[in-house]
Amino acid sequence: MSADHSFDGLADKFAQNIYGTTKGQIRAAVVWQDLLSCLSRLGDRPLRILDAGGGFGYFAQKLAAMGHRIELCDLSAEMLELGRQQIEQQGLSDRIRLIHCPIQALDQHVEGEFDLILCHAVLEWLSEPRQTLLSLLGFLAPGGILSLLFYNRHALLFQSLVVGNFDYIRAGLTKKRKQKLTPENPQLPEEVYDWLQRGGLKLIGKTGVRVIHDYMRHKQDQHEKFEDLLQMEQRYCRQEPFVALGRYIHVMAQRPLQNQGEMKRS
């Protein structure tokens, strides 16, 4: 079985590709709206937050600037170093702790439970996504929320269909040559939802990320009509059937409070 993917050697390129492009700007705006909704559910108080596989901590930095305390782990030392530089520049070093480790080894580095756990664009790079996700749920406090963003296999199939990439479909959506910034293991949404529910969580929101952008017939419109595009993305991203077409899906799930006694005994 293949090992989990690290972005050492690609940190700067990855950061630019994710947040320095039109697709990255849409992703950041849409997910941030969801995170603000999660924060409102958790109350007006400083939260303990875990950013699992968080790279250089794009959202961790924004959350720390609001007064929350973050534990940020990543497999890539280069991504964490990039994050450290940005965190120091913003004067947030006392609110963000950087941990160089895989998610599977978090229990050796952190203790206790978290009010909010972020796991964004990680599952599709893992050799064992289900097992890793379930281990992560053990850190979620009663009443806590998981913010999970994953690469949607259905969207990859649909885009391949509309562009006529039929050989790729017949090959099971597997490329002959692996591309370093293309996720290797897109996830089936219905499977991910099932994992979360079997893990004792209640689904409280689903958002499609890039429900329009990647399907636009004229690619120049992604730039020339960006403000309108972003508005439309935000308008339709939480409605079906558009959620299911998101290149990524952001699912939010909450651990019920009634599990508190059970969690303490375990």
Side-chain angles (χ1 to χ4, degrees), residues 104-198:
Q104 298 91 333
L106 266 171
D107 58 352
Q108 301 173 32
H109 299 270
V110 301
E111 295 181 352
E113 298 172 328
F114 294 85
D115 303 300
L116 176 64
I117 295 178
L118 314 183
C119 186
H120 292 171
V122 173
L123 291 189
E124 57 268 20
W125 298 104
L126 299 178
S127 59
E128 297 183 345
R130 177 181 174 275
Q131 293 90 327
T132 303
L133 177 61
L134 292 179
S135 71
L136 191 59
L137 298 185
F139 293 101
L140 190 62
I145 294 176
L146 171 71
S147 162
L148 180 67
L149 180 74
F150 62 91
Y151 196 56
N152 178 12
R153 187 177 178 89
H154 292 326
L156 179 61
L157 172 59
F158 184 67
Q159 188 188 42
S160 300
L161 286 166
V162 298
V163 301
N165 200 350
F166 302 134
D167 288 339
Y168 178 48
I169 295 168
R170 292 188 186 99
L173 303 179
T174 302
K175 293 186 179 295
K176 293 179 181 178
R177 294 182 180 179
K178 290 185 178 180
Q179 295 175 303
K180 293 181 179 179
L181 294 179
T182 300
E184 301 167 0
N185 191 15
Q187 300 297 300
L188 291 169
E190 56 270 24
E191 288 189 353
V192 175
Y193 303 152
D194 184 62
W195 297 343
L196 294 174
Q197 290 169 325
R198 286 176 180 270

Side-chain angles (χ1 to χ4, degrees), residues 65-105:
M66 298 174 72
H68 305 294
R69 295 197 172 273
I70 323 291
E71 307 259 347
L72 166 63
C73 86
D74 201 83
L75 186 60
S76 167
E78 288 187 13
M79 292 292 279
L80 289 175
E81 179 55 31
L82 180 62
R84 187 188 307 278
Q85 294 169 16
Q86 297 177 2
I87 290 163
E88 289 178 354
Q89 289 171 2
Q90 297 181 71
L92 297 172
S93 299
D94 60 333
R95 293 183 190 162
I96 302 178
R97 177 187 171 217
L98 300 178
I99 306 167
H100 181 213
C101 78
I103 293 174
Q104 298 91 333

Side-chain angles (χ1 to χ4, degrees), residues 6 9 15 19 49 64 82 87 99 115 117 133 157 177-178 189 191 206 212 224 227 230 250 252 262:
S6 168
Y19 295 109
I49 299 173
L82 180 62
I87 290 163
I99 306 167
D115 303 300
I117 295 178
L133 177 61
L157 172 59
R177 294 182 180 179
K178 290 185 178 180
E191 288 189 353
K206 300 173 186 175
I212 306 165
E224 295 173 4
E227 293 304 321
L230 177 58
H250 184 218
M252 292 142 282
E262 178 183 325

Side-chain angles (χ1 to χ4, degrees), residues 199-211:
L201 273 59
K202 177 184 178 182
L203 305 187
I204 59 173
K206 300 173 186 175
T207 300
V209 178
R210 304 203 320 260
V211 301

Side-chain angles (χ1 to χ4, degrees), residues 212-219 221-222 225 229:
I212 306 165
H213 177 281
D214 292 22
Y215 306 112
M216 296 187 83
R217 181 173 298 179
H218 305 295
K219 297 302 181 185
D221 288 345
Q222 296 171 347
K225 299 181 179 180
L229 172 59

